[in-house]
Amino acid sequence: MKQIKQIIDQPLLEVVLSRLCHQLLENHTPFDNTVLLGLQPRGIQLADRIKARLEKIIGQKVPLGYLDTTFHRDDFRRRSSPLTASTTNVPFLIEDKEVILVDDVLYTGRTVRAAMDAMITFGRPSKVELLVLINRKYARHLPVEADYIGQSVNTLDSQRVEVLWEEQGDQDGVWLSNKQENKA
Amino acid sequence: MNALRSKHLLGIKDLSGEEIQLIFQTADSFKEVINRPIKKVPSLRDITIANVFFENSTRTRLSFELAEKRLSADVVNFSSSGSSVKKGETLLDTVNNILAMKVDMVVMRHASPGAPHFLAKHIQANVVNAGDGTHEHPTQALLDTYSIYSKFGSVEGKKVAIIGDILHSRVALSNIFALQKLGAQVMVCGPATLLPRYVKQLGVQVSLDVREALEWCDIANVLRIQLERQQVKYFPSLREYSLYYGINLKLLNSLSKPITIMHPGPINRGVELSSDVADSEHAIILDQVENGVAVRMAVLYLLASKHQN
């Protein structure tokens, strides 16, 4: 039987994004030494939204890069087929910058570990923080926690959290489903 | 498609167009990696690769070694000169001895066509053909076609003339296969004595006139005269070859359109290419060298995922 549950709908998403941006501003204003790094492939839409909102609020450009972690993952060759890399586009050096890693879901923590490994190939940041839309609690394999959290949820390993965006032709929102019963 | 079908790369003939596209897509990612301040990723940190070269090579071996090191693999190099091969050891014995030292992949160049195919049948490790006699040189063909794809955005529909010593070239055969699989049209051009007898059966056009080939093509891939493979004289002199088949700037400027010049190296300057062409904006020879590292990283990365622990 299909079991799909919506965790965040469109109006709530607006509120959550707004709160996350104001939390960032609280810690990083005037935002002139801070950069955003969206994690490929699913963190970049969230990063785009955060960047657009921040720029609207503070009236200045916020540097944003896309970071792919494929070649730094620890599960290479433990999968049946190779991981396909997405584009990395980091058009700035992160040396001495305050970096905010942005991803849609924090689950095992392995992607974030790989992201930190990939990130330091662009320089040594002065500080790194993590922003996620969804924090899957009690699911961590590594000691990784987020600094900014949209919403925390209790999930089972057999469940999947899916974040959908208007830009991809879907309705904005976050859904919880069983692994074989995805919303899209 | 996100995986290669075989655990070896022995020739372009065995690859599909889709597999070549997958290699290009992966090479795009590695090209970005090798332009970072830190050009290294840890993908192959638990893999040991032996570069086994039974024939001389500078750029191919260097390119493979760089690709392997940028993927964090452990690398050992073997060349037959000064080795036990000179004492009569067989190919299989040599390689088995290397494998006994827990090597996972073998990159091999050999003077005998089919040597890497023989090896692949007898050993567990992944085998990459880095050139087998006059047969195939798959990674060179991949980097050549990738260079066209990088410059033009697509290989499909392009007209490519391969000019020079086709008879003794492994690059020519692999290039013909790769270009055709990606939808390009191919012409080969050279003196009649340096064209294989049945080359037309590969579905390529043939010309003996270099001007005709250059007027026809968008891209000219100029090959070196392989004097070391020629047991008899195939043309009267290098000077005469240069007069009839050498490409210089005057010839290029007299064409009705600009064309792109490629060369797999090493160049015999003043023979098949004059320096004013080799160093001009028409040539993408150094791009080919850079792309070679990215393409070889892609091949090794994709094959390593097929390695059984």
Side-chain angles (χ1 to χ4, degrees):
Chain A
M1 203 178 94
K2 267 196 169 183
Q3 287 185 327
I4 300 174
K5 182 183 158 195
Q6 188 163 24
I7 309 171
I8 298 180
D9 58 11
Q10 207 268 337
L12 182 58
L13 185 67
E14 293 293 316
V15 175
V16 168
L17 290 177
S18 183
R19 173 172 52 80
L20 288 171
C21 287
H22 283 95
Q23 284 177 335
L24 285 176
L25 288 169
E26 226 174 279
N27 293 338
H28 291 275
T29 299
F31 234 88
D32 50 7
N33 196 40
T34 305
V35 297
L36 302 175
L37 276 185
L39 302 191
Q40 288 273 26
R42 286 184 287 271
I44 61 171
Q45 285 82 18
L46 175 62
D48 283 343
R49 291 277 186 107
I50 297 275
K51 170 190 163 73
R53 276 171 181 268
L54 285 172
E55 288 181 347
K56 204 171 169 188
I57 298 168
I58 61 176
Q60 70 181 55
K61 290 277 173 205
V62 174
L64 166 66
Y66 295 160
L67 186 67
D68 185 66
T69 63
T70 306
F71 301 132
H72 296 266
R73 292 192 65 99
D74 59 6
D75 53 357
F76 175 66
R77 301 202 301 109
R78 283 168 180 79
R79 295 177 175 229
S80 54
S81 61
L83 294 158
T84 309
S86 301
T87 311
T88 287
N89 181 14
V90 183
F92 43 77
L93 280 179
I94 61 166
E95 190 73 27
D96 285 331
K97 291 276 191 293
E98 295 189 0
V99 176
I100 298 156
L101 298 175
V102 180
D103 206 358
D104 61 346
V105 179
L106 174 59
Y107 182 28
T108 61
R110 288 181 190 268
T111 303
V112 177
R113 187 217 57 80
M116 286 196 281
D117 202 1
M119 179 190 63
I120 57 168
T121 62
F122 293 94
R124 182 182 178 274
S126 62
K127 186 180 183 183
V128 184
E129 291 180 330
L130 176 63
L131 179 150
V132 295
L133 188 60
I134 301 293
N135 172 28
R136 292 182 67 163
K137 290 199 290 182
Y138 316 121
R140 222 69 78 233
H141 294 179
L142 300 171
V144 172
E145 287 307 330
D147 301 279
Y148 308 96
I149 294 170
Q151 190 157 317
S152 290
V153 290
N154 292 330
T155 58
L156 301 171
D157 271 349
S158 60
Q159 292 175 314
R160 182 184 165 92
V161 174
E162 245 184 316
V163 182
L164 301 181
W165 301 99
E166 223 172 45
E167 295 89 319
Q168 295 175 307
D170 291 299
Q171 187 189 340
D172 274 354
V174 184
W175 280 263
L176 183 66
S177 64
N178 289 332
K179 274 191 176 158
Q180 281 80 31
E181 300 162 357
N182 301 331
K183 162 119 191 357
Chain B
M1 170 172 276
N2 65 350
L4 299 178
R5 285 171 303 166
S6 170
K7 64 183 265 196
H8 309 292
L9 177 65
L10 302 176
I12 297 291
K13 209 174 177 180
D14 314 319
L15 292 178
S16 68
E18 276 184 321
E19 286 177 299
I20 297 175
Q21 294 289 1
L22 171 66
I23 293 169
F24 285 4
Q25 193 190 330
T26 313
D28 278 341
S29 304
F30 284 120
K31 207 169 162 182
E32 183 275 317
V33 167
I34 60 180
N35 283 302
R36 288 182 192 174
I38 297 172
K39 302 165 179 59
K40 204 165 171 135
V41 290
S43 303
L44 264 61
R45 65 187 153 202
D46 54 346
I47 295 268
T48 305
I49 303 177
N51 298 316
V52 182
F53 279 66
F54 291 91
E55 254 195 348
N56 293 337
S57 166
T58 306
R59 72 203 62 225
T60 303
R61 200 175 79 175
L62 200 63
S63 181
F64 265 110
E65 200 172 330
L66 261 181
E68 290 152 4
K69 287 182 171 168
R70 286 182 175 164
L71 288 166
S72 303
D74 289 320
V75 181
V76 288
N77 288 310
F78 167 90
S79 70
S80 59
S81 56
S83 77
S84 294
V85 173
K86 300 288 178 207
K87 300 175 191 166
E89 190 175 62
T90 66
L91 167 65
L92 197 54
D93 277 345
T94 303
V95 174
N96 271 331
N97 273 288
I98 294 168
L99 292 179
M101 299 172 205
K102 308 297 175 204
V103 166
D104 306 299
M105 295 178 86
V106 177
V107 175
M108 187 174 80
R109 168 166 289 189
H110 202 283
S112 302
H117 299 71
F118 166 79
L119 204 63
K121 280 186 192 149
H122 290 90
I123 63 173
Q124 281 300 308
N126 307 71
V127 177
V128 181
N129 181 2
D132 57 335
T134 56
H135 182 220
E136 281 226 46
H137 192 351
T139 55
Q140 180 69 45
L142 288 168
L143 78 88
D144 287 344
T145 43
Y146 179 74
S147 298
I148 296 172
Y149 156 84
S150 284
K151 182 174 165 79
F152 296 98
S154 166
V155 180
E156 193 173 359
K158 294 284 171 295
K159 291 178 176 174
V160 184
I162 304 174
I163 299 167
D165 184 356
I166 312 296
L167 184 67
H168 298 98
S169 172
R170 51 190 168 217
V171 175
L173 191 60
S174 285
N175 262 275
I176 291 169
F177 291 144
L179 289 163
Q180 288 178 338
K181 280 171 196 265
L182 296 173
Q185 295 179 59
V186 186
M187 179 185 276
V188 294
C189 171
T193 50
L194 290 175
L195 295 177
R197 210 168 158 190
Y198 301 107
V199 71
K200 270 191 178 165
Q201 291 180 5
L202 294 172
V204 299
Q205 299 185 55
V206 179
S207 174
L208 302 178
D209 181 350
V210 75
R211 173 176 283 279
E212 181 189 46
L214 294 175
E215 279 289 1
W216 174 83
C217 72
D218 305 307
I219 300 125
N221 195 357
V222 187
L223 306 182
R224 181 174 62 92
I225 295 298
Q226 309 226 353
L227 292 170
E228 75 277 17
R229 291 186 204 283
Q230 297 181 7
Q231 307 305 320
V232 291
K233 282 274 187 186
Y234 287 84
F235 48 85
S237 69
L238 283 178
R239 180 173 154 71
E240 186 165 320
Y241 180 87
S242 174
L243 279 172
Y244 282 94
Y245 288 96
I247 298 172
N248 54 43
L249 204 53
K250 195 175 159 199
L251 175 57
L252 280 191
N253 288 338
S254 72
L255 301 176
S256 57
K257 58 175 180 180
I259 63 166
T260 299
I261 299 288
M262 298 172 65
H263 194 298
I267 305 169
N268 287 323
R269 283 178 184 260
V271 181
E272 67 269 5
L273 275 187
S274 64
S275 282
D276 54 8
V277 172
D279 303 329
S280 72
E281 76 279 10
H282 298 282
I284 56 166
I285 297 166
L286 292 177
D287 295 334
Q288 286 175 266
V289 178
E290 181 189 341
N291 290 336
V293 177
V295 164
R296 288 181 173 117
M297 286 172 84
V299 166
L300 296 168
Y301 173 80
L302 291 167
L303 290 180
S305 69
K306 295 235 158 206
H307 176 74
Q308 303 299 317
N309 274 318

